[in-house]
Amino acid sequence: MALDERNGVWKSGKGKGRHTPKGRQLEDRAWDEVKALLGDAPRRRDLLIEHLHRIQDAYGHLSAAHLRALAEEMKIPQAEVYEVATFYAHFDVVKEGETPPPALTIRVCDSLSCELAGAQELKAALEEGMDPSEVRVVRAPCMGRCDTAPVLELGHNHIDHATPEKVQAAIAAGDTHAHVPDYQGLEAYRSSGGYKTLAQLRRDGDFETVQQELLDAGVRGLGGAGFPSGRKWGFVRAEPGPRYVAVNGDEGEPGTFKDRFYLERYPHVFLEGMLIAAWAVEADRCFIYMRDEYPAVLEILRREIAALEEAGIVAEGYIDLRRGAGAYICGEESAMIESIEGKRGLPRHRPPFVANVGIFGRPTLVNNVETLYWVTRVLREGKEVLAGVKKNGRTGLRSYSVSGRVAAPGVYLLPAGSTIRDIVAASGGMLAGHELKAYQPGGPSSGLLPARLDDVPLDFDVLQEHGSFIGSAAVVVLSDQDSARAAALNMLRFFEDESCGQCTPCRVGCEKAVKLMQADAWDEGLLEDLCQAMSDASICGLGQAAPNPIRLTMAHFPEEVGLQPPRPGEYGTEQALERRQD
């Protein structure tokens, strides 16, 4: 007798038979609500995160019933929907019987710049003064507003230089939405010559000429890697089509806010650069992956992409704007691509590289927002706009995001050969009563360098000999009133929170490091063994760079962590560590 001919659970329903299939059942009301939210939007698998945002925005959380309905509507397993929803920090998954979060959430940034400005005290005051049944107060990683620390997000409204009084006033006024600043729109940009370069290239441009001009100007990847952009374009163009362009707007490295600075002022300089890159590699489509912590930027891009479509500069749908969901790891290019495909942001093993196998398995050019900003400027103004600037043996300009103990934090466009003293001077000098003690040259991944290294140019290919790197040029300045030990612990706690958990060296290593760093005296040998394992065996740059704050703090601030200071004249990280390992 065939299995489907036997009396069982799917027959009469008598006896002990089951009336429904195993698992969570589909609720008609939830299904209707999800269908109404999605409307005519495609049900493609890669749009899962976009659809999760629609539900989260509408209901303030993701209920089990809605997740089940979304799985049904998209024809994918519930397990996939659940694992994606629980991966990202900005989705609140609520199971049956659980209480949904309050309608209003306050996210208090606790990254280094905000912690220096009193974020912990601010969070404690808010928790004490708020009704937890009406307002939820949670800690959150960097929001890209380090120049106005401490910062919090009330709903989607960022409150700069936040105080409990400002928060109470905003709640009373119902001010919980993003504020879009004044910016240069399409009409103003075109009146000043915008998109003429793109039009000329589309008409009769030559790729090799453009590629050489970018190489001569010194345009490099400004998300942190520093790879020459012209060469990367050539790699992608040489691959068989179809090809894609993906813009990495997930500016999550604490201390970094340069991309937001440019996007909130001159979005079309970036957009033209992106379309030039798409022309160069003959891309079938452009994806912009923008972090969810930038709601105003997301709104600006929505408006201006629509304006480009209306003006006929791009076809409808050619630019696909994707919204992140709170995951630092998605700043890694392959993790970003996984997220664009609607998956968890887990970095891919390489090779193959994304230039060969990227979005949907096709060759993909990944560029940072600021990189594309400079593509437009170089091709409009000539290579000398970068190549003509020289200082301390370095060429070009750098957009330094400066925060911490300086009088005027902000983004400063300075020669690439600038030292920390130059950067502090451009930022109005140190705060009154503070003296320079240490600095991060490129966010927590770059660790801490001491004030005595004040003559080192903060540029690519320079800081490696000191055990650091420039990264995204996120400069956080510490003073004699700050603790290098506490700063290092803040950095490792960030990495512990943001590790995607895919590989053991990073997942367990960051957690173990935080525990070891809380001891009165650091176990140098054990920490160094841990650092070596993490840097050698982690899949991506998060785990590989996480040891930098530990190593540099032990090398340059040993007295703060219970270690012996280096011998006189022993300033280099490598020498100090070699001596201790001996």
Side-chain angles (χ1 to χ4, degrees), residues 10-53:
W10 305 117
K11 293 298 179 180
S12 66
K14 296 177 181 178
K16 296 181 180 180
R18 188 181 298 109
H19 292 271
T20 60
K22 285 184 177 181
R24 185 172 285 114
Q25 302 306 303
L26 180 64
E27 298 178 15
D28 289 339
R29 179 179 177 180
W31 195 11
D32 289 340
E33 289 169 344
V34 167
K35 287 190 285 189
L37 282 175
L38 269 54
D40 296 331
R43 269 56 168 175
R44 299 195 316 266
R45 175 64 180 79
D46 62 290
L47 294 175
L48 174 57
I49 294 173
E50 296 296 309
H51 296 339
L52 288 169
H53 273 304

Side-chain angles (χ1 to χ4, degrees), residues 417-530:
S418 299
T419 66
I420 187 61
R421 294 291 181 187
D422 297 324
I423 292 168
V424 168
S427 307
M430 297 292 294
L431 284 173
H434 292 256
E435 293 184 9
L436 178 64
K437 172 182 178 176
Y439 62 98
Q440 284 182 357
S445 298
S446 67
L448 278 179
L449 294 177
R452 64 174 175 267
L453 293 178
D454 61 357
D455 58 348
V456 179
L458 270 61
D459 193 19
F460 294 112
D461 313 318
V462 176
L463 294 167
Q464 281 81 347
E465 65 179 285
H466 301 287
S468 185
F469 52 84
I470 187 61
S472 57
V475 181
V476 181
V477 178
L478 275 66
S479 79
D480 56 344
Q481 299 182 29
D482 299 316
S483 164
R485 173 197 180 102
L489 186 56
N490 176 281
M491 299 176 220
L492 263 295
R493 281 177 171 148
F494 169 77
F495 291 131
E496 179 187 21
D497 286 343
E498 296 298 330
S499 172
C500 73
Q502 179 180 191
C503 68
T504 302
C506 177
R507 180 185 69 249
V508 177
C510 289
E511 180 184 3
K512 183 67 173 177
V514 168
K515 292 178 179 177
L516 292 173
M517 293 167 71
Q518 294 179 63
D520 292 337
W522 289 8
D523 187 328
E524 184 177 18
L526 186 55
L527 277 169
E528 177 53 34
D529 287 345
L530 182 63

Side-chain angles (χ1 to χ4, degrees), residues 65-84:
H66 283 141
L67 292 180
R68 171 67 181 90
L70 183 61
E72 182 73 20
E73 188 67 13
M74 297 187 70
K75 309 301 182 191
I76 57 179
Q78 292 182 62
E80 285 190 35
V81 176
Y82 180 79
E83 72 176 6
V84 171

Side-chain angles (χ1 to χ4, degrees), residues 186-187 190 195 268 275 301-319:
L186 177 59
E187 184 178 347
R190 294 186 77 177
Y195 291 106
H268 283 284
L275 294 175
L301 291 175
R302 290 187 193 103
R303 294 177 186 177
E304 299 312 308
I305 291 169
L308 288 174
E309 292 174 347
E310 186 177 350
I313 295 174
V314 296
E316 185 176 352
Y318 182 75
I319 302 175

Side-chain angles (χ1 to χ4, degrees), residues 79-94:
E80 285 190 35
V81 176
Y82 180 79
E83 72 176 6
V84 171
T86 53
F87 182 85
Y88 296 94
H90 291 184
F91 293 139
D92 294 302
V93 176
V94 177

